[in-house]
Amino acid sequence: MLVLLPPSEGKAASGRGAPLRLESLSLPGLTEARTAVLDELVDLCSGDLDPARNDKAREVLGLSEGLRGEVAKNAGLRSAGTRPAGEIYTGVLYDALGLASLDTAAKRRAARSLLVFSGLWGAVRVTDRIPSYRCSMGVKLPGLGALGAHWRAPMASVLPEAAGSGLVLDLRSAAYAAAWKPKGEVAERTATVRVLHAPTRKVVSHFNKATKGRIVRSLLSAGAVPQGPAELVEALRDLGYEVEAQAPTAAGRPWSLDVLVTEVH
């Protein structure tokens, strides 16, 4: 099973570990594309002492005045300390997932199956060591353009192999889903998930993020290994989730799953 996750907007501080080594990250086929984004992002943010350049960087990155310090953080990415990506990403989904509190076996499953998408790195495993950064998939860098488009070709060549022959559970938001859309037989064993507030049948951000984190934690903790979307529906129902599933009506399309919730604990 491969689980595709969005990153978090907020991130923990960089660690005290060794600086970034791009060649050490998972999915080495993305190294060239990662280098291109890293080079331009660092260059864009390196005029921190020049107010005009700082303002330009904040504009490109979509940062408010209160987040001016994120520009300087990006400028120092090559020399900043690193920590596992699973510790860098924070926020509602990752709080609910609670990687640090999983048992040893579930942590091993997480290392094998979780893939976090990123505007800067493309996608990383939770064990990959990265520094804290700010660069969403929606950013348009002056030289590279829209990052979603930048990542499509390298992702298309690398992700099908990473997906293997099993289930792909896609929990990404729309911006990150644009960087890679499973095709063909990979799509047919992919399940996308929406979380709906049961009384209103609407997507509510907090319910959506927290429940997706709980779903992943439940699957990892239970050692569930569904081989495809139909088996995933059964596994989630066995774990106590209310699930409505829609099988694809044409070849080369993913399954759509709605998880209904009334409250988030």
Side-chain angles (χ1 to χ4, degrees):
M1 178 174 66
L2 183 68
V3 182
L4 312 181
L5 296 174
S8 57
E9 185 91 358
K11 297 173 183 68
S14 295
R16 296 173 179 264
L20 174 70
R21 293 176 56 244
L22 283 177
E23 67 275 11
S24 73
L25 300 181
S26 301
L27 309 178
L30 300 179
T31 300
E32 183 178 348
R34 288 168 175 155
T35 301
V37 180
L38 180 64
D39 286 348
E40 185 165 352
L41 183 63
V42 170
D43 181 66
L44 172 70
C45 295
S46 291
D48 191 42
L49 297 180
D50 180 342
R53 286 196 65 183
N54 185 283
D55 289 344
K56 175 63 175 177
R58 288 196 298 108
E59 178 184 352
V60 169
L61 296 173
L63 302 177
S64 66
E65 173 66 31
L67 293 174
R68 183 177 288 271
E70 299 295 289
V71 176
K73 178 196 292 184
N74 282 347
L77 283 172
R78 289 197 185 91
S79 59
T82 58
R83 60 200 300 184
E87 297 177 12
I88 289 288
Y89 295 114
T90 59
V92 175
L93 187 155
Y94 290 91
D95 285 346
L97 172 53
L99 285 169
S101 61
L102 291 172
D103 63 35
T104 300
K107 285 179 179 176
R108 285 198 297 266
R109 296 182 197 110
R112 292 194 303 267
S113 63
L114 304 188
L115 201 61
V116 184
F117 275 61
S118 162
L120 175 52
W121 317 115
V124 291
R125 303 281 186 185
V126 292
T127 50
D128 285 331
R129 299 191 67 92
I130 58 173
S132 186
Y133 67 97
R134 183 64 72 103
C135 184
S136 72
M137 191 66 81
V139 164
K140 294 182 179 179
L141 291 174
L144 292 177
L147 291 179
H150 169 77
W151 284 112
R152 281 183 200 132
M155 289 285 195
S157 68
V158 170
L159 266 293
E161 182 178 353
S165 58
L167 170 72
V168 178
L169 174 54
D170 191 350
L171 302 178
R172 298 172 296 167
S173 55
Y176 291 90
W180 180 60
K181 294 183 179 180
K183 297 183 183 299
E185 66 87 18
V186 178
E188 293 171 3
R189 49 187 167 86
T190 296
T192 63
V193 174
R194 293 191 308 173
V195 178
L196 301 182
H197 184 220
T200 63
R201 307 291 296 193
K202 292 181 179 179
V203 175
V204 180
S205 178
H206 180 79
F207 284 87
N208 182 53
K209 293 176 182 178
T211 303
K212 285 180 177 178
R214 290 174 59 210
I215 285 171
V216 177
R217 183 180 179 89
S218 296
L219 292 169
L220 293 172
S221 296
V225 285
Q227 296 302 302
E231 292 83 2
L232 172 65
V233 172
E234 294 179 7
L236 290 176
R237 288 173 177 165
D238 288 345
L239 289 167
Y241 293 94
E242 184 178 354
V243 182
E244 296 178 352
Q246 182 175 341
T249 56
R253 301 285 184 85
W255 283 54
S256 297
L257 274 55
D258 287 340
V259 177
L260 305 180
V261 296
T262 55
E263 62 183 15
V264 175
H265 303 288

